[in-house]
Amino acid sequence: MAAFHEAHPRVDLDFVAGSQDEICAQVLQGRLDLAVTYDLALPPGLQVTSLNAARPLLVLPADHRLADQEQVRLAEVIEEPMIVLDISPSRENTARIFRDAGLQPHVAFRTSDFEVTRSLVAKGLGYAILVQRPAGDLSYGGEPLAVKSSGEDVAPLGVIMVRNPQLRPSTAATALAAVVDRVARQDLWPG
Amino acid sequence: MAAFHEAHPRVDLDFVAGSQDEICAQVLQGRLDLAVTYDLALPPGLQVTSLNAARPLLVLPADHRLADQEQVRLAEVIEEPMIVLDISPSRENTARIFRDAGLQPHVAFRTSDFEVTRSLVAKGLGYAILVQRPAGDLSYGGEPLAVKSSGEDVAPLGVIMVRNPQLRPSTAATALAAVVDRVARQDLWPG
């Protein structure tokens, strides 16, 4: 975005974050030029561009008995309480992962907020499955988290750009889409 | 919450985060037992308990020319672009601060997300006024922020618990309110 702003300083940029439903609705209504999201639980009628992929991660408190392992399999924590980030597409992603693994989690808490989920994990109330990994691996309160790959247990999730195919994009929207496409691909495959 | 869960292990706790409008509407509809929020832009009809107060902070990129000052006055950055977290009550809080100071900010970007706001600041696109300060002072991408007090320029904002006075609280809700009250007061005035 910094790169786009330098190249196009007179274009006003507004940023909106929200659940899959909210964001996709705004794209379909023409209120957003584009959105970057996950390839899951999408409504019909969107133009989808694949950007990269992310592998969901297992988030544990830093003092968890398995925190020193490089990988933690889902089966190793399945008897423990889980905290679900219960908004789309995290809800569908979590359900998909356990369905694929043939496992049934013990859901202890549901939240609608990414950082509340991380804070509950840091307090030792359960584990969580999250895709985004903020730098630092700390909760907002400063408690450390152990963020682990589950290896082949968890399939990657596509990261995509969605636009409205019914609308002719403005010059600015086309330029922004090109920057998003370039930056998002670099992010995953540098060099 | 960890303390409450230990004392009341059989009570199911759900956590919801959202804008002031969304959260207060859910309390008034009886869908939430209580909410912790800021004392600003509240709808009528809520029972309000004062918990503590927080002073909004000026957030700068770590390489900002004023990042080494202990305090940064609003007038020192007022000619620079500002990034507004444009959701209630952050929107009203930011407007109130500049109105009180008799200053007019140059709004460069509007976002609906706390972490997008912090990321844009970290990228050098402007300063922001935010109340919450996550541990670590890093953006999600790992770029450092300089978080500064503006001293007497910025009045504190009340942190409150809101409930629905029309509803008789359950035993669990009463116990939770007592824990929230105790923990939130300790948080600000330890000892």
Side-chain angles (χ1 to χ4, degrees):
Chain A
M1 294 307 96
F4 178 82
H5 184 61
E6 266 175 41
H8 305 273
R10 287 178 306 175
V11 174
D12 271 346
L13 279 171
D14 285 355
F15 298 87
V16 173
S19 72
Q20 187 78 297
D21 315 336
E22 290 163 0
I23 293 301
C24 291
Q26 292 190 40
V27 171
L28 289 169
Q29 290 157 10
R31 293 171 56 201
L32 289 175
D33 284 315
L34 62 86
V36 175
T37 186
Y38 298 110
D39 188 8
L40 202 68
L42 288 174
L46 290 163
Q47 174 190 338
V48 173
T49 308
S50 181
L51 296 176
N52 58 41
R55 203 178 279 272
L57 297 161
L58 188 63
V59 185
L60 305 171
D63 61 358
H64 191 278
R65 65 185 166 84
L66 303 174
D68 292 336
Q69 288 183 198
E70 199 181 327
Q71 280 194 4
V72 176
R73 308 289 304 267
L74 293 179
E76 294 181 276
V77 295
I78 196 68
E79 296 303 330
E80 301 177 21
M82 183 174 71
I83 299 156
V84 184
L85 176 54
D86 193 19
I87 50 174
S88 183
S90 166
R91 178 194 305 134
E92 292 83 357
N93 183 49
T94 305
R96 168 189 75 108
I97 286 166
F98 286 98
R99 196 171 53 236
D100 288 355
L103 295 169
Q104 183 69 40
H106 296 286
V107 176
F109 301 96
R110 296 179 182 278
T111 90
S112 73
D113 185 82
F114 179 75
E115 288 293 344
V116 171
T117 306
R118 297 175 81 241
S119 292
L120 293 177
V121 172
K123 292 284 182 198
L125 297 183
Y127 68 93
I129 307 264
L130 296 170
V131 180
Q132 198 174 11
R133 181 183 188 175
D137 291 340
L138 292 177
S139 73
Y140 270 9
E143 291 169 307
L145 296 160
V147 182
K148 300 291 165 184
S149 162
S150 288
E152 297 305 312
D153 275 10
V154 176
L157 188 59
V159 178
I160 57 176
M161 172 165 56
V162 297
R163 283 171 286 183
N164 186 334
Q166 309 298 330
L167 296 181
R168 180 195 298 260
S170 66
T171 308
T174 301
L176 181 61
V179 169
V180 168
D181 192 81
R182 180 167 50 79
V183 171
R185 288 176 200 271
Q186 278 176 353
D187 224 14
L188 198 71
W189 299 298
Chain B
M1 295 307 95
F4 179 81
H5 184 61
E6 267 175 40
H8 305 274
R10 286 178 306 175
V11 175
D12 271 347
L13 279 171
D14 285 356
F15 299 87
V16 173
S19 71
Q20 187 78 298
D21 315 336
E22 290 163 0
I23 292 302
C24 291
Q26 291 191 41
V27 171
L28 288 169
Q29 291 158 10
R31 293 170 55 200
L32 290 175
D33 284 315
L34 62 87
V36 174
T37 186
Y38 298 110
D39 188 8
L40 203 69
L42 288 175
L46 290 163
Q47 174 190 338
V48 174
T49 307
S50 181
L51 296 176
N52 58 42
R55 203 179 280 272
L57 297 161
L58 188 64
V59 185
L60 305 171
D63 61 358
H64 191 278
R65 64 186 166 87
L66 302 175
D68 292 336
Q69 288 183 197
E70 200 182 325
Q71 280 194 3
V72 176
R73 308 290 304 267
L74 294 178
E76 295 180 276
V77 296
I78 196 69
E79 297 303 329
E80 301 177 21
M82 183 174 72
I83 298 156
V84 184
L85 176 54
D86 195 20
I87 50 172
S88 182
S90 166
R91 178 195 303 133
E92 293 84 357
N93 183 49
T94 305
R96 168 189 75 107
I97 286 167
F98 286 99
R99 196 170 54 236
D100 288 355
L103 294 169
Q104 183 69 40
H106 297 287
V107 175
F109 300 97
R110 297 179 183 278
T111 90
S112 72
D113 185 81
F114 179 75
E115 289 293 343
V116 170
T117 306
R118 297 175 81 241
S119 292
L120 293 177
V121 171
K123 291 283 183 199
L125 298 182
Y127 68 93
I129 307 263
L130 296 171
V131 180
Q132 199 174 10
R133 181 183 188 175
D137 291 339
L138 292 177
S139 73
Y140 270 9
E143 292 170 306
L145 295 160
V147 182
K148 300 290 166 183
S149 163
S150 288
E152 296 306 311
D153 275 12
V154 176
L157 187 59
V159 178
I160 58 176
M161 172 165 56
V162 297
R163 283 171 286 181
N164 186 334
Q166 309 298 329
L167 296 182
R168 181 195 298 259
S170 66
T171 307
T174 301
L176 180 61
V179 169
V180 168
D181 192 82
R182 180 166 50 79
V183 171
R185 289 175 199 272
Q186 279 176 350
D187 224 15
L188 198 71
W189 298 298

